Amino acid sequence: MKLHSLLLINLIYVTVILVGVESTQSPPFSCDSSNPSTKSYHFCKTTLPIPDRVRDLVSRLTLDEKISQLVNSAPAIPRLGIPAYEWWSEALHGVADAGPGIRFNGTIRSATSFPQVILTAASFDVHLWYRIGRAIGVEARAVYNAGQTKGMTFWAPNINIFRDPRWGRGQETPGEDPLVTGSYAVSYVRGVQGDCLRGLKRCGELQASACCKHFTAYDLDDWKGIDRFKFDARVTMQDLADTYQPPFHRCIEEGRASGIMCAYNRVNGVPSCADFNLLTNTARKRWNFQGYITSDCDAVSLIHDSYGFAKTPEDAVVDVLKAGMDVNCGTYLLNHTKSAVMQKKLPESELDRALENLFAVRMRLGLFNGNPKGQPYGDIGPNQVCSVEHQTLALDAARDGIVLLKNSQRLLPLPKGKTMSLAVIGPNANSPKTLIGNYAGPPCKFITPLQALQSYVKSTMYHPGCDAVACSSPSIEKAVEIAQKADYVVLVMGLDQTQEREAHDRLDLVLPGKQQQLIICVANAAKKPVVLVLLSGGPVDISFAKYSNNIGSILWAGYPGGAGGAAIAETIFGDHNPGGRLPVTWYPQDFTKIPMTDMRMRPESNSGYPGRTYRFYTGEKVFEFGYGLSYSTYSCETIPVTRNKLYFNQSSTAHVYENTDSIRYTSVAELGKELCDSNNISISIRVRNDGEMAGKHSVLLFVRRLKASAGSPIKQLVAFQSVHLNGGESADVGFLLNPCEHFSGPNKDGLMVIEEGTHFLVVGDQEHPVTVVV
């Protein structure tokens, strides 16, 4: 029986069990029509606009009731028929019980475990990301309808840039590129909240609420005694403009996220949760954010207790509420807001402003519309959790994310001979927990790499090789012994949550403990070159394996979720053709000489600072951003662009300047939308699968400049698209570029400018020049 068929049978079995259990719990809601008093409440009248309903509700609250609602665990207000509400729930890559909002103790005992985000991002497939978000939103609503949650606000996605390879939470992000990260944010948020992919409709009602975090420049947890709670991120305006802020800008403007989380850290001396310019001027006024802003947990307490930014606890409360924050994860506002009001430091109107934002989101979720069974999402039930559809999607996501890093002499895929023998070695080979990553709930089902490989090869020998991923005492002799007996060897190594996680950054980029020694010894003893599978969130310096003749193939599989073992086995035996690409640069161990605390993206030649990410990093790489092999070969042919010269010297409002590199430039803001749009460029790439196997191929379109000013990126991803092609099939992939967006960059003041000169559109080894005249 094929592994995929076996997997589906198991999933159907799980689904049947879930459906067969009857729930006795009811979801919490307000405005129960069976309660006569609700008829007098304007906030219960669904025919009124939500702003009017919210103002009516807030006007009925006492000061103590108002304050009680400013924390994540908001208590009930029985006299108004308002139940308790929990703002903190998690759904990073599946509905999770990592926060207090979700309980898997009733009808629903588990949820679909999608791959950790870093692996999902490797597919470079926005439609896949949207489908995952939508599935998570459906399962979130099902959990609510089953009465197993006190809230429908989920604190995901994490869209911080994976700036440093040692960051323990890099696994939660879509990687190092602002375009990819912003695109993921838009797709995920629209999926979770119930919006359509292309934004053709604007849904006021929310299926569930997504929250973009951590706003902003947050990418250090705990490194050499410097932790996220005290860290002051020193960031240039230029880096803010083109690296740290764009994902949040897109998450808000295009994704229309209903939540933002402000981060623990300070940015240039100002705590993020107390930054009026960040929360109000930027998010609400410039980007038109319509939603609620929460602090990260206990972040408000740091403003006085750790930073000393505020002189008193009451001043800290004033700072965050006046900055535009609405709800405190923790109890600081509960403890100190009343005294701030009594001392006349804080007008009660600031509480009303925050509460209007909070209750508006709850109303958009339909929680003040009466019994949810009669509402738009009221028919979503337990049968839609762990469904075959969602489990197949999770398997597809794991397949599409896996990256083939090496395949010397086409070792993979392995043959499916009935008489072959296989040795599976490594601490991650049979570790269900490692597959899941962090911020996860109980998965519907685990399939480890060992279990999946055993379904292909009856004669499979197994040894963990190490007692744990830390691998302080490897069983090298035993591992070598079984390797020598087998026709083929698969080593499943890498990292897990003991090595990288929230509150724990790595110090090294090499494999932990004596893993490398174990791999080399086994590879030297095996009959044929071995297959190395790495599970990890962050990049690992595996230069030794890259250049070893005894290691024939390398697969990176991130943390691939509950069905990840099946995806790995299918790839090894050729039932899946890998097409994933790395969403982060893989740096050498030598990069650890650079302090994690240095937030600069751009290199500095005088000091030898090499810069960060593929856009600016000038040092040696183990593997590049966007790198990934396949069992097929793909050829790309650029069909000439619609124009190769762009004139921006026709504007009567734009001024022309010259920078220190003698390059002429003009301000994008001064050009105006009409002139920018009139210079749009269409480009088409003809992609052909020259192999025999069907597969997915991601077309990555970069821009580089012939003569760039100091601080410009080496190259910049401006568009990408994934296409599925059968063997011998070809397809045209089209992109529409706006030069004011895709050819521009920030100056040192963070203002977007477009420089005169030649820009190259780059796909693989194909380049097409476009000249800009200002």
Side-chain angles (χ1 to χ4, degrees), residues 653-717:
T653 58
H655 297 83
V656 177
Y657 309 91
E658 191 171 290
N659 61 27
T660 55
D661 298 304
S662 300
I663 297 176
R664 288 157 53 90
Y665 70 92
T666 188
S667 166
V668 170
E670 292 180 2
L671 289 174
K673 186 177 185 301
E674 184 177 347
L675 182 57
C676 288
D677 290 348
S678 68
N679 279 282
N680 281 348
I681 298 174
S682 295
I683 181 170
S684 186
I685 315 295
R686 181 157 294 159
V687 187
R688 179 179 173 83
N689 182 348
D690 296 319
E692 296 179 358
M693 294 182 66
K696 286 181 73 173
H697 180 71
S698 295
V699 180
L700 308 185
L701 177 63
F702 296 89
V703 167
R704 73 171 183 87
R705 301 177 195 176
L706 178 63
K707 183 182 178 183
S709 57
S712 295
I714 300 166
K715 62 179 181 179
Q716 173 73 55
L717 184 69

Side-chain angles (χ1 to χ4, degrees), residues 45 94 125 153 188 202 243 543 632:
K45 295 181 178 179
D125 186 341
T153 38
Y188 174 93
R202 181 156 190 163
T243 298
S543 298
S632 296

Side-chain angles (χ1 to χ4, degrees), residues 270-271 273-276 299-305 307-325 332-333 335-347 350-351:
V270 182
C273 294
D275 191 339
F276 179 85
V300 178
S301 66
L302 302 176
I303 294 170
H304 168 260
D305 299 350
Y307 299 151
F309 184 84
K311 292 182 179 179
T312 67
E314 290 78 12
D315 290 334
V317 170
V318 173
D319 286 343
V320 296
L321 287 174
K322 285 192 172 181
M325 197 196 80
Y332 210 77
L333 262 62
N335 297 334
H336 302 292
T337 300
K338 190 168 187 177
S339 58
V341 174
M342 294 297 100
Q343 293 173 28
K344 300 191 181 304
K345 290 184 174 183
L346 183 71
E350 288 292 348
L351 278 63

